Amino acid sequence: MSYDYIEFGDTEKEFTSKIEEISGQNIFSCYQCGKCSAGCAFSNLMEKTINHTMQLVQLGKKEKVLQSNTHWVCASCLTCTVRCPREIDVAAVMEAIREYTLRYEPETIERLDLPEELLKKIPNIALVGSFRKKSEL
Amino acid sequence: MRIGVYVCECGKNISATVDVEKVVDYAKSLPNVAASRVYKYMCADPGQELIKKDIEELKLDKVIVAACSPRMHEPTFRAAIEDKGLNPYTLEIVNIREQVSWVHDDKKKGTKKAKSLVKSSVMRSALMEPLDRKKVGVTHKALVIGAGIAGIQAALDIAGSGYQVTLVEKTSSIGGKMAQLDKTFPTLDCSACILSPKMVEVGRNPNITLIANAEVEQVDGYVGNFKVKIKKKPRYVIEERCTMCDDCVPVCPVIVHDEYNENLSPRKAIYIAFPQAIPASYIINPDDCLGIDPLICSKCKDVCGPEAIDFDMKPEIIEDEFGAIVVATGFDTYPIENLGEYGQGNIPDVITGLEFERLISPGGPSTGDLRRPSDGKLVKNVVFIHCAGSRDPAKHLPYCSKICCMYSTKQALMFKHEVRDGTAVNFYIDIRTGGKDYEEFYQRAAEEAKVIYIRGKVSELIQDGDKILVKGVNTLTAETVELHADLVVLATGIIPSQGTKDIASVLRLSLGINGFIKEAHPKLKPVETSITGVFVAGCATGPKDIPETVSQAGRAAVRACNIIAQDEIEVEATIAHVDEILCRGCGICVGTCPYSAITLIDTKRFGNIYKVASVNEALCKGCGSCAAACLNGAINQFGFEDKQILAMIQALGEE
Amino acid sequence: MKNSYFPGCNLKTEAKGFEQSAIAVSKALDAELVEMPEWNCCGTVQTMTTDNLMRRIAPVRVLSRASNHVKELKNSQNQVITLCSMCNSTLKIVNAEVKENPNDLEKINFQLENDDLVYEGDMEVKHFLEILRDDVGYENIAKKVTNPLEGMKIASYYGCMLLHPEKAKIDDEEMPTVMESIVLSLGAEVVDWPYFKQCCGSYHIVDRDDIVNSQVVKIIRNAKKTGANALIVACPLCAYNLDNQQVELEKLGVEKEPIPIFYFTQLMAIAMGLPQKVNHFEDHHINPILLLKELGLIGKKK
């Protein structure tokens, strides 16, 4: 885990530009100040900090990005987006990583069976929100 | 008419995007062109020789150089053709670098555009007429505006060259921001100890006239002959009589915030900014005083032994003339009120770097003990947040303020010297130590004083009991981190001061996008401005540390002396002129002129008196606004006559 | 004055009290919320992808129907009002997006042809809080207060969606004041607390209630620490997470003494002396009536 070989081949470049395309953000605006991670309410549950993820996207490290739970823990509260000094919509980048997985590697996502009782109790807004963020719907 | 066209490759700067050979061939086909050549670097000696030789051998009477912006080499080529007997104002420059090669990447289109521009200049060149050089006399005296370290140094250097200099300061004392600092990096010199000798020298030097508590209200005129109005506000204390005995202070009933201590301590309405203040005299602030009226309160006047207090003082307008001006109006720091995530100034123990300087200074509000503002408790651990509002184009300042890494390191070190068992943590994005001995200073702070550096930006500060919860990140360990601090210091960046903005509008100086005064050239003319004879030093042009400010002040002083040392200097020849027959005296040009150079005068025509516009040749800067605005085509500009411009437009319109 | 009002799914189910109290309050303040016809889901959770126009169709359909509704209402401004802050955010962002990108709007309008609809980009989306602040005014709210909320110490919980992102925010994202100002005009106290926009965990409640719980603990503890005895919210999901999960946390023995969660409009209805049935307190998981009775704010017919 503490060695990596860096190269910028087609796979790397394609991943970076796909994330840029889906999110509409310039990933290379990130200068790694870390303010996104610092203000994130969920960072304690993330396997990688957000700025770490941003750096990996810059380097095109698809496997490492997708393996981490960071983008799934993100709740789209947009605190990172409103505080980013480089005007990057960081939450949109997280969304793009989710979308990337849903579009191109849906088989990697675990299917959930939600109990009937829960479905009745939980507000629609949460159900629809969750499906939108975490499923191919 | 024989015109020579000289196309420059500028290494690859131009030739990469413009096919210069094609431009040269095309130019040969244009009317009146007798020679057309290309050279790698036209501005180099061989390039100039090429032009000179052609003038002689081919008997050229006009020269066109297609190269970089006229701001770069117009003087070079004017001198070259003048050398061979041509009038320097008949030189025409086509800018095919900044306006073509640098802004396009398609070589075909770039070449086409370069060709059209050359064609339009050939058309204009044929119509150009020789102009006379104009000279004016010079007042051998300089004005320095702003008396922080930049203004003080500039004034001392001008005075040291033997010239008279007037130094105007807005506040009651000279010294500026440097006088508020406790120590300076990277030597930890006591700021007052190195500044006050210079301040004393300003007060003593016979060549320096100091006008404090005053502002420059109006500047007219031009290089060599600026006419300046200075408004000196009443001090209500006669400087020469005040013995600084301090008897007036205890009796004054008004208590207000002390600006010198960044509002962290009280002062009275009658006060002295700080003990070493120059002029060494107390002052009454009329906005604080109960009324500058003995009927309301005259306690200070009653106790003043030397009878120095004069309630009848009035504002004074001082009018004077100067040959050159140095603007040294300095900076302010980015307002903490803009930083919502850091408490917007509502958390009392979240302070700015400048406030920290006052808190740790023995002359400051806690007499050097570093007690925090909220409850006066001694501070055991401090967090310094670098780039507070800097490098943040999204919401705050887009630029790096250059000095904050160093001043936060200095402050952390000062704190560790003061509180040996305390902790000082710096949250930084990058550490920038670009200055002599700066890197060593930073290393010393970490190695010797165990100042902690955590790489990451803080996202939020929260008051948590009597501590401040710092929510940050450590990007090196890839963890989000939290810690509690007794005191948080925000390294707020440098912004143009109000004084800088004010003087820029009085002098009509160009400002850059961040509001700092724009240099004539960012590298080679760093103290020159858009106005000849007006120079600028220190943070008025952007963030600078003290050594850089002092060096710049020295250069500004030399440039000012270059002007005031002369008996007469040359001024703009391409000025506006009025055709009185066509002028209807409507006065539109009068309002259009940004330099107040045009007035309506009476003239006699057919036995009647008519109003017509008249241009003051010394005031006109040749901007061309009037010529463009004139409805009757009565105003034209030498060197940019309507017929010349129309010929250019016509040429550009043809394929 | 009548306003076109878009309810969204939750206002008809879990958050009936929010809707009915808001409508009652809006009538009393002469800023009546009139439900628009034939509304559909706002699209919930605005998509942040740039290339998925499909997810923008639902909100645009809402905007075009609201635009028609405004015309029917006559003398109504070109604005549609929401209560749910998630709907507000989604509609506001998509509205801004299609106004900026006429090409996208054209494509979406093509999809709306089946419904005989077309959106012309002529609407503004407002949250009811904005109407109260900008159209009604705090003084006018205060004037209608007959039962000042003495003894209530309110932590105003904005959540994320009222303040993020820039395009959708209804107030300063770091130092908002609109909810606090309303609370003050109702005669209650406000507490100054830093967790006013700490995310509640949102839709993670579906499959990761641990995430929500850890947020709710932080938020509720901080509110209690500042002395608050109730929270106000403007989002049915925030309300559910903060309300229901406090009960769950109590069961788990993590956090005791839950504090009630109110929609801001419920408190307004109480302060303005409107019939209590509009509040539907029976839908709450933590019974708010206990606190109100304790403070003598309801049931005092002595």
Side-chain angles (χ1 to χ4, degrees):
Chain A
M1 263 307 276
S2 45
Y3 169 83
D4 201 2
Y5 184 76
I6 291 181
E7 62 179 331
F8 294 97
D10 289 348
T11 335
E12 285 79 9
K13 284 180 188 156
E14 268 168 33
F15 179 66
T16 311
S17 58
K18 200 73 205 170
I19 297 298
E20 287 198 322
E21 185 192 314
I22 301 176
S23 65
Q25 304 301 304
N26 186 341
I27 304 286
F28 295 92
S29 294
C30 174
Y31 65 21
Q32 287 293 315
C33 71
K35 206 176 183 187
C36 47
S37 312
C40 179
F42 308 96
S43 57
N44 56 327
L45 300 164
M46 289 174 175
E47 285 159 9
K48 290 192 194 314
T49 53
I50 303 164
N51 63 288
H52 192 169
T53 306
M54 294 292 287
Q55 168 90 98
L56 290 172
V57 175
Q58 285 176 344
L59 299 176
K61 296 286 177 190
K62 181 174 131 182
E63 308 301 320
K64 288 192 177 180
V65 171
L66 299 190
Q67 270 163 25
S68 167
N69 70 351
T70 304
H71 47 286
W72 296 116
V73 171
C74 164
S76 311
C77 78
L78 310 187
T79 303
C80 49
T81 296
V82 298
R83 286 191 183 149
C84 174
R86 298 292 286 113
E87 234 165 336
I88 305 169
D89 189 344
V90 184
V93 176
M94 295 298 121
E95 177 110 328
I97 301 172
R98 285 190 294 267
E99 279 282 326
Y100 183 92
T101 318
L102 296 166
R103 288 185 199 179
Y104 304 109
E105 307 192 353
E107 66 284 355
T108 59
I109 300 164
E110 254 179 74
R111 309 264 154 183
L112 284 179
D113 278 325
L114 298 174
E116 188 86 2
E117 191 192 334
L118 188 78
L119 290 174
K120 270 186 195 156
K121 192 175 172 191
I122 283 179
N124 308 339
I125 176 178
L127 289 170
V128 181
S130 178
F131 296 159
R132 285 241 144 153
K133 295 293 179 190
K134 300 180 183 176
S135 78
E136 299 151 75
L137 284 177
Chain B
M1 177 73 55
R2 300 176 64 77
I3 299 172
V5 177
Y6 298 88
V7 182
C8 179
E9 291 181 14
C10 196
K12 281 199 157 176
N13 274 313
I14 291 171
S15 60
T17 325
V18 173
D19 189 333
V20 285
E21 296 291 349
K22 281 201 179 138
V23 176
V24 167
D25 286 346
Y26 174 70
K28 283 180 187 155
S29 72
L30 296 169
N32 299 322
V33 174
S36 175
R37 297 184 203 282
V38 62
Y39 188 70
K40 206 167 183 62
Y41 292 106
M42 205 52 90
C43 60
D45 264 359
Q48 294 184 44
E49 285 308 319
L50 198 69
I51 300 174
K52 287 185 190 172
K53 206 168 130 235
D54 279 359
I55 295 174
E56 239 167 9
E57 292 178 359
L58 304 173
K59 308 269 174 277
L60 300 180
D61 39 19
K62 295 282 172 59
V63 168
I64 296 174
V65 180
C68 53
S69 158
R71 286 174 61 147
M72 307 298 299
H73 277 300
E74 193 173 63
T76 313
F77 294 116
R78 275 185 177 173
I81 69 165
E82 192 171 20
D83 208 32
K84 290 292 162 194
L86 296 189
N87 185 288
Y89 295 101
T90 59
L91 173 82
E92 170 75 355
I93 294 226
V94 191
N95 183 357
I96 57 167
R97 194 177 73 176
E98 285 85 343
Q99 293 180 355
V100 182
S101 65
W102 280 0
V103 289
H104 301 297
D105 16 77
D106 185 325
K107 196 163 181 173
K108 227 174 170 177
K109 289 184 183 166
T111 307
K112 193 178 168 204
K113 182 171 169 186
K115 280 187 195 165
S116 323
L117 291 176
V118 166
K119 181 182 177 188
S120 75
S121 283
V122 169
M123 298 307 159
R124 176 179 175 215
S125 183
L127 301 169
M128 296 218 343
E129 284 152 24
L131 300 177
D132 293 334
R133 288 189 184 278
K134 290 194 165 35
K135 291 201 167 190
V136 292
V138 173
T139 310
H140 305 291
K141 205 160 66 175
L143 169 69
V144 176
I145 304 167
I149 181 59
I152 290 173
Q153 190 62 50
L156 286 174
D157 288 350
I158 294 167
S161 305
Y163 296 100
Q164 291 291 316
V165 53
T166 295
L167 178 60
V168 177
E169 166 58 35
K170 186 157 117 174
T171 67
S172 66
S173 170
I174 64 171
K177 292 280 191 296
M178 189 176 166
Q180 287 182 280
L181 307 182
D182 185 42
K183 293 197 164 63
T184 55
F185 59 80
T187 46
L188 293 186
D189 285 315
C190 148
S191 187
C193 309
I194 57 174
L195 176 64
S196 59
K198 287 184 186 285
M199 290 172 58
V200 170
E201 174 62 15
V202 166
R204 214 171 40 195
N205 194 312
N207 282 346
I208 300 179
T209 308
L210 171 62
I211 310 176
N213 205 28
E215 282 182 73
V216 171
E217 285 218 313
Q218 199 184 328
V219 178
D220 292 321
Y222 46 91
V223 55
N225 301 276
F226 291 107
K227 293 181 174 54
V228 180
K229 265 188 200 165
I230 300 162
K231 185 181 180 186
K232 189 179 183 207
K233 291 168 276 182
R235 200 175 182 98
Y236 303 108
V237 177
I238 300 160
E239 285 173 30
E240 300 74 32
R241 286 197 196 163
C242 176
T243 59
M244 311 228 292
C245 66
D246 206 49
D247 285 352
C248 51
V249 170
V251 299
C252 176
V254 182
I255 297 175
V256 292
H257 289 299
D258 183 357
E259 306 87 349
Y260 174 69
N261 276 330
E262 289 292 302
N263 300 330
L264 292 167
S265 69
R267 66 158 172 82
K268 297 297 183 68
I270 185 163
Y271 68 105
I272 184 157
F274 50 99
Q276 302 93 329
I278 302 280
S281 158
Y282 280 59
I283 180 170
I284 300 176
N285 183 332
D287 298 331
D288 303 332
C289 179
L290 293 175
I292 310 283
D293 182 349
L295 292 177
I296 300 170
C297 172
S298 67
K299 290 196 167 117
C300 53
K301 194 174 164 67
D302 298 343
V303 296
C304 184
E307 297 188 348
I309 291 166
D310 175 9
F311 285 150
D312 295 328
M313 253 186 216
K314 293 278 174 290
E316 206 182 322
I317 299 286
I318 299 164
E319 292 187 45
D320 208 343
E321 291 189 23
F322 302 95
I325 297 175
V326 176
V327 174
T329 40
F331 69 98
D332 283 329
T333 52
Y334 191 66
I336 193 171
E337 290 74 20
N338 292 0
L339 297 165
E341 64 271 44
Y342 298 155
Q344 250 175 356
N346 295 328
I347 308 176
D349 295 326
V350 177
I351 61 172
T352 64
L354 214 43
E355 288 175 323
F356 183 87
E357 294 288 338
R358 296 316 308 146
L359 279 184
I360 203 160
S361 168
S366 57
T367 57
D369 269 348
L370 193 59
R371 291 177 183 280
R372 59 185 200 172
S374 65
D375 52 11
K377 273 193 193 152
L378 289 170
V379 176
K380 276 277 175 245
N381 61 74
V382 192
V383 166
F384 295 90
I385 299 179
H386 295 212
C387 305
S390 297
R391 303 181 63 192
D392 186 336
K395 290 213 175 122
H396 307 290
L397 306 175
Y399 51 89
C400 164
S401 273
K402 204 174 185 178
I403 59 165
C404 319
C405 285
M406 290 307 293
Y407 84 62
S408 298
T409 293
K410 174 197 75 179
Q411 290 174 347
L413 205 52
M414 283 155 65
F415 169 76
K416 290 288 283 187
H417 289 168
E418 198 70 39
V419 188
R420 298 261 166 206
D421 59 341
T423 325
V425 177
N426 281 260
F427 278 95
Y428 70 98
I429 309 178
D430 296 296
I431 292 285
R432 294 179 172 173
T433 56
K436 196 181 176 190
D437 296 333
Y438 287 7
E439 176 63 20
E440 292 87 333
F441 183 73
Y442 156 59
Q443 292 175 11
R444 204 175 105 205
E447 278 174 2
E448 290 175 18
K450 314 292 179 211
V451 171
I452 305 289
Y453 286 86
I454 297 179
R455 195 194 173 285
K457 190 143 183 165
V458 169
S459 178
E460 202 170 355
L461 296 173
I462 291 174
Q463 181 84 54
D464 189 13
D466 72 340
K467 300 257 183 186
I468 295 146
L469 175 60
V470 180
K471 303 180 91 162
V473 63
N474 185 338
T475 60
L476 298 181
T477 61
E479 288 164 317
T480 299
V481 295
E482 291 188 348
L483 62 98
H484 282 90
D486 295 327
L487 185 71
V488 175
V489 184
L490 303 179
T492 47
I494 283 177
I495 56 172
S497 68
Q498 189 54 46
T500 297
K501 292 178 207 156
D502 293 346
I503 203 66
S505 98
V506 168
L507 283 164
R508 300 179 198 95
L509 292 170
S510 324
L511 299 178
I513 45 167
N514 294 316
F516 293 106
I517 293 170
K518 205 169 172 183
E519 311 88 340
H521 187 277
K523 295 176 202 78
L524 301 177
K525 291 184 175 176
V527 304
E528 289 79 348
T529 68
S530 51
I531 296 178
T532 318
V534 176
F535 305 99
V536 60
C539 289
T541 54
K544 267 164 215 76
D545 57 20
I546 296 170
E548 207 180 339
T549 298
V550 169
S551 333
Q552 231 193 20
R555 175 174 161 84
V558 170
R559 297 292 287 119
C561 289
N562 288 166
I563 289 169
I564 58 178
Q566 299 179 56
D567 288 326
E568 54 176 18
I569 53 170
E570 211 170 285
V571 292
E572 197 55 66
T574 54
I575 56 171
H577 58 97
V578 181
D579 184 337
E580 290 194 3
I581 302 295
L582 289 177
C583 179
R584 295 181 307 182
C586 71
I588 284 178
C589 52
V590 177
T592 310
C593 177
Y595 304 99
S596 313
I598 308 180
T599 43
L600 290 182
I601 55 164
D602 291 335
T603 186
K604 236 186 197 171
R605 204 186 294 159
F606 312 123
N608 293 316
I609 304 284
Y610 291 93
K611 292 266 184 216
V612 289
S614 162
V615 177
N616 180 327
E617 297 194 347
L619 288 177
C620 176
K621 298 262 194 301
C623 71
S625 304
C626 54
C630 180
L631 298 173
N632 237 22
I635 303 195
N636 259 298
Q637 191 182 344
F638 288 120
F640 297 91
E641 309 285 343
D642 281 357
K643 57 180 182 198
Q644 299 168 0
I645 305 290
L646 290 170
M648 290 179 91
I649 295 172
Q650 191 180 0
L652 287 170
E654 295 163 1
E655 264 305 305
Chain C
M1 173 68 188
K2 285 182 181 351
N3 290 298
S4 176
Y5 154 64
F6 169 79
C9 54
N10 277 77
L11 282 292
K12 299 294 179 187
T13 51
E14 286 85 359
K16 290 193 286 291
F18 189 11
E19 169 166 85
Q20 291 180 22
S21 59
I23 290 177
V25 164
S26 72
K27 282 183 186 158
L29 291 169
D30 190 26
E32 189 181 345
L33 299 179
V34 183
E35 185 172 325
M36 58 176 280
E38 282 192 275
W39 53 268
N40 55 253
C41 172
C42 68
T44 320
V45 197
Q46 169 269 341
T47 179
M48 287 177 280
T49 57
T50 52
D51 57 355
N52 192 342
L53 284 187
M54 228 169 59
R55 289 193 177 176
R56 292 168 171 90
I57 294 175
V60 174
R61 189 191 286 118
V62 167
L63 291 168
S64 72
R65 288 211 164 111
S67 172
N68 292 342
H69 186 220
V70 165
K71 282 169 203 131
E72 284 166 29
L73 286 177
K74 288 171 194 149
N75 301 329
S76 180
Q77 293 182 64
N78 271 12
Q79 53 186 25
V80 57
I81 316 302
T82 68
L83 289 169
C84 168
S85 52
M86 195 88 100
C87 299
N88 182 65
S89 167
T90 305
L91 292 176
K92 263 200 177 119
I93 294 170
V94 173
N95 195 25
E97 281 175 352
V98 297
K99 282 186 188 182
E100 277 165 29
N101 304 299
N103 285 343
D104 287 354
L105 180 57
E106 201 177 315
K107 286 180 196 156
I108 294 169
N109 273 333
F110 182 71
Q111 295 297 324
L112 295 185
E113 273 179 17
N114 292 339
D115 303 313
D116 280 333
L117 291 172
V118 60
Y119 179 52
E120 319 239 354
D122 55 344
M123 292 294 284
E124 294 299 326
V125 179
K126 296 268 175 74
H127 193 274
F128 189 46
L129 282 167
E130 292 174 276
I131 300 299
L132 293 174
R133 177 189 63 200
D134 305 331
D135 293 1
V136 176
Y138 305 131
E139 330 69 69
N140 291 326
I141 297 174
K143 276 182 204 156
K144 296 277 179 188
V145 170
T146 55
N147 180 26
L149 304 178
E150 280 162 24
M152 291 210 78
K153 294 175 100 173
I154 308 284
S156 302
Y157 181 76
Y158 288 81
C160 339
M161 292 297 136
L162 286 179
L163 304 174
H164 304 158
E166 188 72 26
K167 270 181 204 158
K169 69 182 190 189
I170 67 161
D171 205 343
D172 184 279
E173 70 272 29
E174 301 291 354
M175 295 273 163
T177 52
V178 54
M179 280 179 134
E180 283 81 355
S181 305
I182 289 175
V183 167
L184 288 174
S185 59
L186 302 178
E189 265 181 69
V190 296
V191 303
D192 184 13
W193 71 318
Y195 281 77
F196 60 88
K197 68 164 184 178
Q198 181 82 287
C199 178
C200 69
S202 187
Y203 49 77
H204 281 313
I205 190 64
V206 176
D207 58 339
R208 288 291 303 271
D209 62 352
D210 59 316
I211 296 182
V212 176
N213 286 349
S214 80
Q215 288 305 105
V216 171
V217 168
K218 277 189 243 174
I219 294 162
I220 294 296
R221 281 191 187 156
N222 187 270
K224 287 179 185 168
K225 200 165 160 185
T226 53
N229 54 18
L231 252 69
I232 56 166
V233 298
C235 169
L237 185 48
C238 299
Y240 178 82
N241 284 347
L242 291 167
D243 192 9
N244 188 59
Q245 295 313 109
Q246 275 196 82
V247 177
E248 295 297 322
L249 286 164
E250 197 180 16
K251 283 185 205 157
L252 294 169
V254 177
E255 183 72 6
K256 284 181 192 150
E257 294 171 22
I259 54 174
I261 311 297
F262 291 93
Y263 293 106
F264 66 97
T265 49
Q266 293 175 320
L267 287 189
M268 293 180 76
I270 294 166
M272 290 159 66
L274 299 172
Q276 221 205 98
K277 64 172 199 301
V278 298
N279 290 323
H280 287 273
F281 285 139
E282 71 280 3
D283 290 344
H284 290 224
H285 303 273
I286 302 159
N287 187 354
I289 295 176
L290 298 176
L291 175 71
L292 296 173
K293 274 197 175 145
E294 188 186 311
L295 297 174
L297 296 173
I298 56 172
K300 48 171 182 188
K301 286 183 186 156
K302 295 155 210 171

